[in-house]
């Protein structure tokens, strides 16, 4: 039966359960690197994040196959294949991936303590791995656009102690929809990629802007904020994500935490091309007032577009002493009065906003807290958009 055998597929899905994947996934990468030494150079030295992401992805894919839903996993795998072109993956490496994964599953599930590698599971493994690897490699082969985009840093501005605005000029223009994100590699951290959202709509001349905040313990974000210099060469992948505003879908609530402003700013700038738009209310939050780094730009947009309202929110009333070392963010009079408190609390004190399109951008904890608070107030879940929290 193969792909129609739900019981056999469930055995494969269970092998990738988050609480059971350490041994299996460690074995897989060990087997793959031994089978094909060329693939080791595709990965960073520290593999824990990669192993976790791989296990979660396969657990989800097999879960969809168990439910006999093929459309979403096929689309996901195709995008994954197209995106993996940025690593320079070869056709032979896809084949070694299939062989290593099949061998690892057979040895792991066939161990005497499990005895789960039956003929039915083998057929399901054969067919599912052929599907997974075939879709990824086929999508990569059929893609005609560039595998990556290179660009030069032309401006790096420290706008706060752990925040930077970085502008690049790409060698060739990158088309993306406002609200999407791209994977970025910097020279200080080869083979380590980080997702960033462009803060401006796609530019035909290849200009692009990112807002970056240091993630505690994050090698890439620290390098971007503290070590990047004009002239550095960055590499970008193809765009992902579906965050958007439906101009015919009613009024809009946007909630941005810190550099989560970037994709929402790109959407607002894109909307400003039109004479008529739905009303947009943006809550822009940070710990301190000095970290509301883009208030002047937001004020300028709002001053010329009456459909936009901006509410600054901070957790603390006073700026820290180090704020004097960075630019003053105070805009001219005209924005709403700054409010103090947790972003989720400030937003929901006005109600559930159930009549709005709701877009939330920021750190995972902030997005979860705000979404939970809105749902508790009665906001329909289908009206809430945010990027994947594990991207």
């Amino acid at each position: 039966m193969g792909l129609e055998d739900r019981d056999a597929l469930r055995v494969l899905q269970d092998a990738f359960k988050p609480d059971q994947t350490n041994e299996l996934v460690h074995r897989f990468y060990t087997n793959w690197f031994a089978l094909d030494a060329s693939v080791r150079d595709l990965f960073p030295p520290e593999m824990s994040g990669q192993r976790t992401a791989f296990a979660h992805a396969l657990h989800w894919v097999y879960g969809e196959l168990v439910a006999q839903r093929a459309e979403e996993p096929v689309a996901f795998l195709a995008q994954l294949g197209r995106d993996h072109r940025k690593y320079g993956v070869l056709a032979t490496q896809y084949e070694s991936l299939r062989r290593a994964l099949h061998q690892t599953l057979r040895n792991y599930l066939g161990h005497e303590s499990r005895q789960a590698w039956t003929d039915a599971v083998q057929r399901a493994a054969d067919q599912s791995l052929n599907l997974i690897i075939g879709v990824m490699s086929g999508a990569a082969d059929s893609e005609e656009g560039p595998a990556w985009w290179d660009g030069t840093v032309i401006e790096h501005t420290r706008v706060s102690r752990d925040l930077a605005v970085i502008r690049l000029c790409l060698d060739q223009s990158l088309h993306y929809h406002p609200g999407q994100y791209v994977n970025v590699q910097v020279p200080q951290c080869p083979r380590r990629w980080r997702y960033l959202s462009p803060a401006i709509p796609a530019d035909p001349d290849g200009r692009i802007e990112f807002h970056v905040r240091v993630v505690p313990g994050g090698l890439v974000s620290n390098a971007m904020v503290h070590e990047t210099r004009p002239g550095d060469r960055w590499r970008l992948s193809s765009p992902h994500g579906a965050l958007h505003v439906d101009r015919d879908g009613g009024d809009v609530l946007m909630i941005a935490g810190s550099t989560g402003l970037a994709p929402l700013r790109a959407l607002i700038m894109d909307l400003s091309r039109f004479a008529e738009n739905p009303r947009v209310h943006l809550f822009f939050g940070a710990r301190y007032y000095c970290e509301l780094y883009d208030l002047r730009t937001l004020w300028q947009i709002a001053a010329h577009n009456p459909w936009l309202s901006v509410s600054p929110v901070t957790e603390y009333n006073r700026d820290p002493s180090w704020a004097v070392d960075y630019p003053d963010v105070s805009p001219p009079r005209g924005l709403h009065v700054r409010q103090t408190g947790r972003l989720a609390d400030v937003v929901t004190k006005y109600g559930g906003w159930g009549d709005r399109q709701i877009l939330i951008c920021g750190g995972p904890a902030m997005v979860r807290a705000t979404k939970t608070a809105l749902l508790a107030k009665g906001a329909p879940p289908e009206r809430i958009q945010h990027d994947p929290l594990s991207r």
Side-chain angles (χ1 to χ4, degrees), residues 28-320:
F28 158 66
Y29 280 107
T30 299
N31 290 341
W32 193 19
F33 297 159
L35 185 64
D36 186 350
S38 69
V39 300
R40 186 61 185 90
D41 290 338
L42 302 177
F43 297 96
E46 218 308 300
M47 289 286 294
S48 60
Q50 172 66 30
R51 285 191 289 263
T52 299
F54 179 80
H56 278 284
L58 282 185
H59 186 262
W60 176 79
V61 167
Y62 275 113
E64 293 296 291
L65 295 179
V66 168
Q68 298 294 289
R69 294 190 294 260
E71 184 175 348
E72 284 195 39
V74 166
F76 167 77
L77 292 166
Q79 180 59 51
L80 205 59
R82 289 189 290 268
D83 192 46
H84 273 54
R85 294 183 308 140
K86 68 177 183 284
Y87 300 119
V89 180
L90 304 174
T92 56
Q93 293 166 334
Y94 276 114
E95 175 56 25
S96 66
L97 165 64
R98 188 194 65 77
R99 289 166 56 198
L101 194 49
H102 188 279
Q103 180 186 63
T104 305
L105 282 167
R106 183 183 66 225
N107 293 340
Y108 180 80
L109 294 173
H111 190 273
E112 61 182 15
S113 64
R114 300 179 186 88
Q115 297 184 348
W117 187 257
T118 63
D119 290 343
V121 171
Q122 179 171 329
R123 285 192 295 272
D126 289 339
Q127 294 184 24
S128 61
L129 293 180
N130 287 340
L131 172 69
I132 291 168
I133 304 306
V135 170
M136 290 180 64
S137 60
D141 290 340
S142 64
E143 184 68 14
E144 297 180 353
W148 57 73
W149 286 257
D150 289 331
T152 302
V153 175
I154 58 175
E155 187 176 342
H156 178 276
T157 305
R158 291 285 295 276
V159 293
S160 186
R161 185 170 63 173
D162 58 358
L163 293 167
V165 172
I166 305 169
R167 298 184 177 97
L168 294 89
C169 185
L170 303 178
D171 297 346
Q172 55 183 320
S173 61
L174 167 63
H175 175 72
Y176 56 87
H177 298 293
Q180 289 193 296
Y181 54 90
V182 297
N183 225 353
V184 178
Q185 179 184 243
V186 299
Q188 294 86 353
C189 302
R191 303 195 305 276
R192 297 179 186 271
W193 295 75
R194 183 183 171 188
Y195 287 114
L196 295 178
S197 296
I200 60 174
D203 176 69
D205 295 325
R207 290 169 294 187
I208 195 166
E209 177 179 315
F210 297 111
H211 301 169
V212 186
R213 180 175 181 175
V214 169
V215 176
L219 293 176
V220 180
S221 62
N222 271 279
M224 289 176 171
V225 172
H226 297 301
E227 301 174 23
T228 295
R229 299 291 182 270
D232 284 358
R233 297 282 289 171
W234 285 20
R235 176 162 290 181
L236 280 60
S237 77
S238 55
H240 300 265
L243 202 68
H244 69 283
V245 169
D246 179 358
R247 293 183 59 244
D248 298 318
D251 292 339
V252 183
L253 169 67
M254 295 184 175
I255 307 164
S258 187
T259 53
L261 174 67
L264 301 183
R265 180 187 190 255
L267 284 164
I268 289 170
M269 294 177 74
D270 186 63
L271 287 172
S272 67
R273 298 184 297 121
F274 302 98
E276 294 185 7
N277 281 308
R279 291 181 301 160
V280 177
H281 195 122
L282 168 66
F283 286 88
F284 178 28
R287 294 171 301 179
Y288 304 106
Y289 189 67
C290 65
E291 294 180 322
L292 297 173
Y293 60 93
D294 211 35
L295 280 183
R296 288 179 178 271
T297 301
L298 295 174
W299 179 87
Q300 291 169 356
I301 298 173
H304 294 90
N305 295 278
W307 46 265
L308 175 63
S309 300
V310 180
S311 293
V313 180
T314 61
E315 294 184 26
Y316 302 101
N317 270 320
R318 295 183 179 180
D319 277 341

